[in-house]
């Protein structure tokens, strides 16, 4: 595998390839797409090397944290689309949706132990990382994971970036090399051995295959998951992701810098749900954005800026601003969580933040709310309540309000540790882009991660950056927003 981009591959165990295996197994667990996917590309390369067919496995369990109609419906829509693609184009695919906890146990082991080796997705948070490590110990074959998460391979950071500035400096050094070694658009086209794989009837009785004619809402309603977090209108398919990207590139990208913070007619991309489930690759988003650069722009304009944001891409300021969010801010979180194993714990905050929060932890609070008060949007603040209702109804909060939403939970709980617990639970339970490295970047940013101390020192916040609903209301026009989210 010498030709492959080795900075993206992780070997999780030392076990010999099983030459008698029936296939090479690709377990598509988070970057759930069949295009622009380094892991799939690596799996195809192995299948070609061993002259074996490739089996693409996609599954969904019931008892994963925060499983609900919202995430299951979105994911199953995407899985069905991938199954259809494989069936139409003659690729081996097996997809399974667990209907009650435990039904799928042993499935991946069984598929893996009949394989020559396994390729899976490398991902720094949620259950995926521990699952990969655990499975690599229990199976009899090599278990590789491949980082197809972003532009800059996570392996290139040898320590956690403590600020976006630090990561950006690294990114600026590595961007061109990474950009010029992109994932293949259609890796399956190179697959040589196309023979079909037959899974036994006994296996398929135990683990029934997801059918493309499934009535998805009916299936979701029958699963043992949380049905209170409702499914959304948006579709979890790659086609929907692509439509969102095109619409953004054509209609909003050039206004991004100016209008991103507008709540009405804002210019944000709205891509985070599909980026989270890997339905679209960050590479494709970068390509689409660079396509919109002025005619005289070329890669020669890209100039190292020592980590400063402005001037790096040297093109339209709105495109530069979008790429900074998409690459610097998004990937700072991936690289951080990859290095810091307690990324979701209070103790992972910088020392200055822990010290200042501790110093102010017994300051009197004017308002203290319980988790249920927050969840049911029962605070005194109409802006906060509207943001929470948007989260519950639509699975998203506008970025600017999301910051305010988080800061106020810090202010209105007994202790920052409790605030952190509430925020992780609210975000990951309801946000369609939740359970992502960005979830932890955003939530921990509220408490000082990737930020610096701010003065003057204030009650509760200490030197943590402070935000108020009044100043937010002055900055952005919230009239229609408040009307729209006045009820659940
Ligand atoms: C309290 C809090 C919780 C958050 N939880 C999440 C979450 O669960 N999932 C999530 O994806 N983002 C989260 N964010 C970050 C940010 O709010 C979203 O990434 C952004 O609003 C998504 O909308 P968009 O796709 O239209 O972004 P755009 O502005 O169009 O940006 C494009 C992409 O860049 C990345 N990006 C943009 N802003 C940020 C940022 N501040 N930090 C990291 N990456 C960024 C995202 O991948 C985004 O999809 C959170 C922020 C806060 C303050």
């Amino acid at each position: 595998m010498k030709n492959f981009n080795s900075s993206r591959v992780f070997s999780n165990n030392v076990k010999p390839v099983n030459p008698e295996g029936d296939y090479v197994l690709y377990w598509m667990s988070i970057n759930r797409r069949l295009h622009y996917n380094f892991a799939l590309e690596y799996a195809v390369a192995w299948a070609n090397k061993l002259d074996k067919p490739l089996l693409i496995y996609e599954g969904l369990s019931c008892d994963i944290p925060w499983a609900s109609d919202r995430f299951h419906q979105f994911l199953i829509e995407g899985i069905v689309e991938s199954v259809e693609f494989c069936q139409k184009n003659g690729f081996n695919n097996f997809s399974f949706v667990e209907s009650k906890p435990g039904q799928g146990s042993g499935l991946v082991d069984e598929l893996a132990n009949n394989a020559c080796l396994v390729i899976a997705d490398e991902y720094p948070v949620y259950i995926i990382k521990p699952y990969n490590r655990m499975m690599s110990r229990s199976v009899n074959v090599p278990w590789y994971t491949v980082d197809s998460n972003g532009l800059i391979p996570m392996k290139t950071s040898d320590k956690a970036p403590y600020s976006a500035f630090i990561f950006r400096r690294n990114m600026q050094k590595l961007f061109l090399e990474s950009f010029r070694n992109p994932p293949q658009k259609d890796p399956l086209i190179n697959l040589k051995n196309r023979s079909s794989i037959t899974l036994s009837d006994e296996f398929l009785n135990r683990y029934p295959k997801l059918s493309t004619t499934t009535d998805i809402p009916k299936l979701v309603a029958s699963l043992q998951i949380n049905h209170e977090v409702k499914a959304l209108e948006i579709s979890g398919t790659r086609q929907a992701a692509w439509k969102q990207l095109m619409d953004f590139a054509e209609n909003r990208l050039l206004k991004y810098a100016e209008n991103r913070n507008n709540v009405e007619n804002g210019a944000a991309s709205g891509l985070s749900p599909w980026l989270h489930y890997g339905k679209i690759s960050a590479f494709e988003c970068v390509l689409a954005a660079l396509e919109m650069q002025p005619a005289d722009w070329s890669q020669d304009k890209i100039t190292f800026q020592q980590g400063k944001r402005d001037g790096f891409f040297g093109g339209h300021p709105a495109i530069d601003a979008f790429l900074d969010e998409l690459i610097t801010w998004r990937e700072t979180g991936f690289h951080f969580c990859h290095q810091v194993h307690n990324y979701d714990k209070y103790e992972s905050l910088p020392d200055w933040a822990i010290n200042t929060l501790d110093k102010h932890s017994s300051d009197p609070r004017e308002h203290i709310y319980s988790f249920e008060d927050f969840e049911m949007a029962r605070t005194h603040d109409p802006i906060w309540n509207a943001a929470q209702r948007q989260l519950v109804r639509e699975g998203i909060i506008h970025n600017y309000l999301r910051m305010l939403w988080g800061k106020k939970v810090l202010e209105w709980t007994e202790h920052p540790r409790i605030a952190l617990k509430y925020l992780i639970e609210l975000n990951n339970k309801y946000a369609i882009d939740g359970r992502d490295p960005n979830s932890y970047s955003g939530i921990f940013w509220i408490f000082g991660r990737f930020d610096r101390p701010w003065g003057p020192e204030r009650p509760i916040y200490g030197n943590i950056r402070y935000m108020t609903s009044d100043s937010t209301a002055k900055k952005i026009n919230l009239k229609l927003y408040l009307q729209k989210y006045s009820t659940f």
Side-chain angles (χ1 to χ4, degrees):
M1 258 354 93
K2 272 202 184 120
N3 296 337
F4 196 78
N5 202 334
S6 61
S7 56
R8 295 191 176 269
V9 179
F10 294 79
S11 168
N12 293 270
N13 58 11
V14 189
K15 293 189 181 167
V17 169
N18 172 14
E20 307 301 322
D22 296 334
Y23 44 76
V24 167
L25 179 67
Y26 171 41
W27 177 42
M28 192 157 72
S29 61
I30 188 74
N31 283 312
R32 292 176 180 249
R33 59 179 182 270
L34 301 169
H35 296 84
Y36 292 100
N37 181 342
F38 284 114
L40 177 58
E41 196 177 317
Y42 191 61
V44 168
W46 264 108
N48 289 348
K49 181 178 155 134
L50 301 173
D51 188 24
K52 295 280 180 176
L54 174 69
L55 179 62
I56 301 166
Y57 166 64
E58 215 179 337
L60 188 53
S61 305
C62 274
D63 54 358
I64 50 176
W66 301 293
S68 68
D69 286 16
R70 179 159 300 174
F71 310 118
H72 266 61
Q73 172 136 337
F74 194 86
L75 274 162
I76 296 170
E77 284 165 356
I79 299 176
V80 166
E81 185 192 42
S82 297
V83 176
E84 280 169 349
F85 179 89
C86 287
Q87 284 179 355
K88 190 165 152 222
N89 295 286
F91 299 115
N92 292 294
N93 162 292
F94 174 67
S95 293
F96 169 75
V97 174
E98 190 181 58
S99 55
K100 56 176 191 283
Q103 187 197 7
S105 66
L107 188 159
V108 178
D109 303 66
E110 216 165 309
L111 286 179
N113 287 330
N114 288 327
C116 305
L117 77 160
V118 180
I119 319 297
D121 294 334
E122 180 66 32
Y123 192 65
V125 301
Y126 196 47
I127 52 173
I128 298 187
K129 188 169 181 162
Y131 193 83
N132 273 319
R133 304 298 176 260
M134 183 187 79
M135 287 305 295
S136 67
R137 286 194 292 273
S138 87
V139 300
N140 300 326
V141 292
W143 186 284
Y144 288 104
T145 47
V146 181
D147 168 12
S148 199
N149 298 301
L151 271 285
I152 310 298
M154 294 188 296
K155 249 190 197 176
T156 59
S157 288
D158 51 11
K159 49 183 192 303
Y162 283 99
S163 68
F165 178 83
I166 290 174
F167 178 75
R168 193 184 288 113
R169 205 171 44 200
N170 195 21
M171 182 282 279
Q172 290 183 347
K173 286 184 195 148
L174 297 173
F175 176 81
L176 275 175
E177 192 194 335
S178 302
F179 184 66
R180 288 171 183 165
N181 287 287
Q184 292 167 5
K185 180 178 178 187
D186 191 358
L188 284 169
I189 227 166
N190 299 320
L191 182 67
K192 291 191 184 123
N193 185 329
R194 306 269 178 120
S195 45
S196 92
I197 298 164
T198 311
L199 298 168
S200 73
D201 289 346
E202 189 272 325
F203 178 88
L204 293 172
N205 281 338
R206 273 185 292 135
Y207 306 118
K209 202 171 177 168
L210 177 69
S211 154
T212 53
T213 56
T214 303
D215 177 332
I216 299 175
K218 208 166 152 195
L219 169 66
V220 169
S222 73
L223 306 175
Q224 280 188 29
I225 53 174
N226 176 355
H227 297 298
E228 276 159 27
V229 180
K230 302 286 177 219
L232 301 173
E233 302 267 301
I234 56 170
S235 156
T237 60
R238 180 169 160 80
Q239 210 187 345
W242 187 251
K243 203 167 148 223
Q244 184 80 15
L245 176 61
M246 291 299 107
D247 181 45
F248 169 65
E250 283 160 23
N251 301 313
R252 299 190 297 282
L253 173 61
L254 297 183
K255 296 180 224 146
Y256 184 84
E258 240 172 289
N259 294 348
R260 180 191 184 210
N261 284 341
N262 292 359
V263 173
E264 300 303 327
N265 299 320
S269 70
L271 282 164
S272 60
W274 295 279
L275 280 167
H276 168 63
Y277 288 112
K279 297 310 299 182
I280 198 154
S281 143
F283 267 92
E284 293 171 276
C285 302
V286 173
L287 284 173
L290 292 178
E291 279 282 301
M292 299 296 290
Q293 289 284 27
D296 65 349
W297 184 87
S298 73
Q299 286 178 31
D300 298 341
K301 300 252 172 171
I302 294 179
T303 321
F304 183 60
Q305 299 290 342
Q306 317 273 359
K308 285 201 294 300
R309 194 191 89 167
D310 293 340
F312 175 65
F313 287 99
H316 193 294
I319 297 177
D320 292 14
F322 172 69
L323 292 177
D324 194 61
E325 294 295 338
L326 177 71
I327 308 172
T328 304
W329 277 100
R330 179 171 180 271
E331 297 187 21
T332 298
F334 276 80
H335 286 240
F336 183 91
C337 295
H338 181 64
Q339 295 286 340
V340 177
H341 300 298
N342 64 346
Y343 64 83
D344 58 347
K345 300 286 182 295
Y346 188 76
E347 291 69 28
S348 68
L349 284 168
D351 290 346
W352 71 264
I354 293 186
N355 291 340
T356 195
L357 287 168
D358 279 359
K359 185 173 162 200
H360 290 272
S361 63
S362 31
D363 289 356
R365 271 84 170 141
E366 201 181 335
H367 306 277
I368 291 187
Y369 296 109
S370 66
F371 180 79
E372 289 69 32
D373 289 333
F374 284 121
E375 186 169 34
M376 303 308 294
R378 287 191 304 241
T379 77
H380 64 285
D381 182 339
I383 300 180
W384 196 94
N385 294 343
Q388 173 63 17
R389 290 190 200 105
Q390 185 188 14
L391 178 66
V392 172
R393 268 165 49 181
E394 295 174 3
I396 206 83
I397 308 180
H398 179 279
N399 179 56
Y400 196 83
L401 294 177
R402 209 169 191 175
M403 297 192 269
L404 178 75
W405 173 84
K407 290 285 181 188
K408 294 293 130 183
V409 176
L410 166 60
E411 192 176 322
W412 300 334
T413 38
E414 291 102 318
H415 193 280
R417 283 180 188 272
I418 299 178
L420 179 64
K421 194 169 134 218
Y422 288 0
L423 279 172
I424 293 175
E425 184 59 25
L426 288 171
N427 191 81
N428 288 353
K429 180 171 178 185
Y430 291 104
I432 187 69
D433 59 7
R435 305 152 309 276
D436 189 275
N438 283 353
S439 316
Y440 298 96
S441 295
I443 293 167
F444 280 77
W445 174 85
I446 299 294
F447 302 82
R449 180 183 291 169
F450 306 144
D451 209 354
R452 62 171 172 84
W454 290 76
E457 200 168 340
R458 293 172 191 276
I460 306 170
Y461 289 85
N463 294 113
I464 302 286
R465 190 196 293 247
Y466 169 76
M467 284 175 83
T468 69
S469 300
D470 286 350
S471 62
T472 303
K474 277 184 204 135
K475 267 193 201 131
I476 43 185
N477 183 356
L478 289 171
K479 201 168 157 234
L480 291 174
Y481 184 83
L482 291 174
Q483 271 168 19
K484 189 169 172 194
Y485 301 106
S486 61
T487 56
F488 273 110

